[in-house]
Amino acid sequence: MKTDERLLKYFSGLMSESEKAVFEKELSGSEVLRREADSFRQMMAEFKGASEYSSSHYFNTILPRVRERIDRKKSPALRLKIAYGLSAAAIIALLFIINPFSSRQSSNSDFETAVAEMNDTDKSSLLGEFIEMDQGNLRTVINSETGSSDAIESKVSDALFRNEESKGKYVDTDDLINDLTPQEADKVYDALLNKKIL
Amino acid sequence: MIDDKDYEYVRQFIEGNENAFNMLVNKYQQKIYWHARRMLGNHMDADEVVQEVLLVMYNKLKDFNFKSSLYTWLFKITTNRSINQLNRRKLRRFLFLDDSETEFLRSDSDLTEELDNREKLRKLDKVLQDLPVKQREVFSLRNFDELSYEEIAEITGKSVGGLKANYFHALKKVTELMKNED
């Protein structure tokens, strides 16, 4: 049986004061409606009860782990620099992966060289251009260009480590996405969403 | 409304008492976890968000000026981080990084080993994940955390009228889904 919509309106606070008064009067006079309201309340209480479960074991582990992360962040400046560098690079790498021109209008190495020579303003402007682009279904392009996640990771590695000493280094794309700042991740996500590919 | 205890903890933390931060964590960690869990639908992602939120709290607490209550501020960060996590998940799926193995790990790892509780949590996660994010957000904050529409408006930046409408649609869908689950 469907729940009376007036009950939902009532519990949502969508009724005006006069509607509310009329409904409450009806509620107190109707056994059927009152039973329905009670069963609705009971259902919601049971549902709510499912997330009142508290595991003391798990909750006892949170603070030590957070403290550990705080201490780790406090110590080595080098790590922060690498993380910062990676987050900027990750945007470029993602751009590189999803840029439909990477194999059509210029060769990969041309694109990499161009990105390597860019300053931060140019990189932001590239991101801006990417967001403005309307290239239709990029997923098809990516599938046809890369084919698998291994191929994507290899492309990311190539894009990030261009100099001789770091060649062949493995880059975990999952870590790269983790290294994006929330703003960067949102920006990439929004860009993909605007293109209706997510 | 400013919670005097929160105010005191924040003041002590600013003066260098690290234990005051621990007290705040103990006070709010469950609320943060459950809000993230309801938004994200699994333990692993919720756990990651809890840690991120607490790190933000540690780093930004010195600048907190009590223009809003501490818990509203924490819910705001949790909501934003959870939405961000949902976006990352979609990015990973798009880039083929979320395979069946990680999906399995997400669903397998949980707060409890007890079958009855696991089943309740599974049902909760499933029903909430079937709601659109905007409805899930308001449903979680109002139904579970019992916040007023005004507080939710402060957290989400949306109008009270819009929130009421979203809550109404969420309630409607949840009741239908719950009946189907039974």
Side-chain angles (χ1 to χ4, degrees):
Chain A
M1 198 179 75
K2 270 190 128 183
T3 310
D4 190 324
E5 281 217 1
R6 289 173 308 159
L7 266 180
L8 302 177
K9 246 179 131 178
Y10 177 72
F11 285 115
S12 305
L14 273 173
M15 284 182 169
S16 65
E17 283 306 312
S18 56
E19 282 175 317
K20 206 171 141 186
V22 171
F23 184 72
E24 279 172 353
K25 201 174 168 191
E26 194 182 332
L27 194 62
S28 61
S30 162
E31 180 66 24
V32 178
L33 195 56
R34 212 167 41 240
R35 236 184 289 139
E36 198 181 343
D38 288 344
S39 96
F40 175 80
R41 281 196 197 97
Q42 196 188 335
M43 184 166 71
M44 295 320 270
E46 275 172 26
F47 193 49
K48 196 177 165 186
S51 82
E52 278 165 359
Y53 174 77
S54 85
S55 154
S56 57
H57 171 69
Y58 166 67
F59 289 109
N60 286 341
T61 69
I62 292 178
L63 189 57
R65 286 185 297 141
V66 170
R67 281 281 173 201
E68 201 185 315
R69 283 175 77 165
I70 290 169
D71 292 343
R72 227 185 304 146
K73 282 207 165 185
K74 273 181 182 169
S75 43
L78 181 65
R79 190 187 156 81
L80 283 177
K81 277 182 194 161
I82 291 169
Y84 177 78
L86 274 182
S87 65
I91 283 277
I92 301 303
L94 282 168
L95 276 176
F96 173 68
I97 296 163
I98 55 190
N99 180 358
F101 293 115
S102 62
S103 65
R104 287 181 179 178
Q105 292 190 357
S106 63
S107 71
N108 289 349
S109 59
D110 286 347
F111 183 78
E112 285 171 32
T113 312
V115 170
E117 286 169 1
M118 281 177 180
N119 58 29
D120 286 348
T121 321
D122 291 338
K123 284 174 185 170
S124 308
S125 138
L126 178 64
L127 181 61
E129 276 174 35
F130 162 70
I131 292 168
E132 295 301 315
M133 271 195 263
D134 178 19
Q135 295 296 324
N137 192 346
L138 288 181
R139 184 188 281 278
T140 316
V141 177
I142 294 161
N143 284 342
S144 64
E145 280 193 22
T146 59
S148 72
S149 58
D150 284 350
I152 289 176
E153 300 213 338
S154 136
K155 279 193 169 216
V156 172
S157 304
D158 290 349
L160 285 177
F161 297 106
R162 282 176 288 273
N163 60 40
E164 283 303 319
E165 305 117 74
S166 51
K167 254 185 188 157
K169 224 173 192 177
Y170 175 75
V171 175
D172 186 333
T173 322
D174 203 26
D175 282 349
L176 284 177
I177 293 180
N178 286 335
D179 274 332
L180 291 174
T181 65
Q183 292 79 6
E184 287 167 340
D186 281 348
K187 217 167 183 181
V188 175
Y189 171 79
D190 287 345
L192 294 172
L193 195 66
N194 287 338
K195 288 173 189 306
K196 301 189 188 329
I197 51 178
L198 282 183
Chain B
M1 202 178 72
I2 296 172
D3 182 316
D4 289 344
K5 266 194 176 169
D6 287 354
Y7 185 83
E8 190 51 30
Y9 288 144
V10 173
R11 194 188 61 75
Q12 287 178 16
F13 177 71
I14 291 170
E15 285 174 1
N17 180 357
E18 288 280 322
N19 195 43
F21 173 76
N22 299 353
M23 302 303 279
L24 287 170
V25 171
N26 287 331
K27 183 172 175 185
Y28 288 111
Q29 59 181 4
Q30 295 208 24
K31 279 184 184 298
I32 296 169
Y33 172 83
W34 282 111
H35 182 48
R37 169 77 185 238
R38 290 188 292 261
M39 290 296 289
L40 294 161
N42 71 72
H43 174 68
M44 275 175 79
D45 286 342
D47 178 53
E48 182 54 36
V49 166
V50 171
Q51 291 190 56
E52 282 181 17
V53 172
L54 294 176
L55 283 173
V56 171
M57 177 164 93
Y58 185 86
N59 291 323
K60 308 265 183 188
L61 206 54
K62 288 187 170 71
D63 303 320
F64 188 69
N65 52 19
F66 280 97
K67 277 185 182 165
S68 66
S69 63
L70 190 68
Y71 75 86
T72 318
W73 181 61
L74 289 174
F75 272 124
K76 195 173 192 168
I77 303 170
T78 310
T79 302
N80 290 340
R81 293 286 164 147
S82 300
I83 291 172
N84 189 259
Q85 185 81 344
L86 286 170
N87 293 348
R88 280 168 203 253
R89 199 192 292 169
K90 284 179 187 166
L91 265 180
R92 283 196 187 90
R93 278 195 190 131
F94 173 69
L95 292 170
F96 320 108
L97 297 168
D98 248 354
D99 54 23
S100 52
E101 196 182 330
T102 56
E103 288 288 349
F104 171 75
L105 281 172
R106 280 204 171 83
S107 58
D108 194 51
S109 158
D110 215 328
L111 278 181
T112 174
E113 294 295 317
E114 292 164 46
L115 276 180
D116 191 35
N117 285 324
R118 284 195 83 143
E119 180 52 25
K120 281 181 189 164
L121 281 173
R122 187 203 60 78
K123 193 169 162 182
L124 176 85
D125 289 337
K126 186 174 181 302
V127 169
L128 289 177
Q129 291 309 299
D130 278 342
L131 294 179
V133 176
K134 283 179 187 170
Q135 291 178 21
R136 202 185 308 157
E137 186 180 38
V138 62
F139 185 76
S140 169
L141 292 169
R142 181 146 177 89
N143 196 64
F144 295 89
D145 294 304
E146 299 178 347
L147 300 188
S148 68
Y149 281 123
E150 286 71 21
E151 286 171 315
I152 302 172
E154 201 180 316
I155 292 164
T156 59
K158 287 166 192 142
S159 72
V160 168
L163 290 171
K164 283 183 180 177
N166 273 332
Y167 186 69
F168 168 79
H169 289 295
L171 267 187
K172 196 173 173 182
K173 193 153 188 192
V174 166
T175 49
E176 281 164 16
L177 291 167
M178 292 276 285
K179 281 173 186 169
N180 291 340
E181 279 279 312
D182 288 336

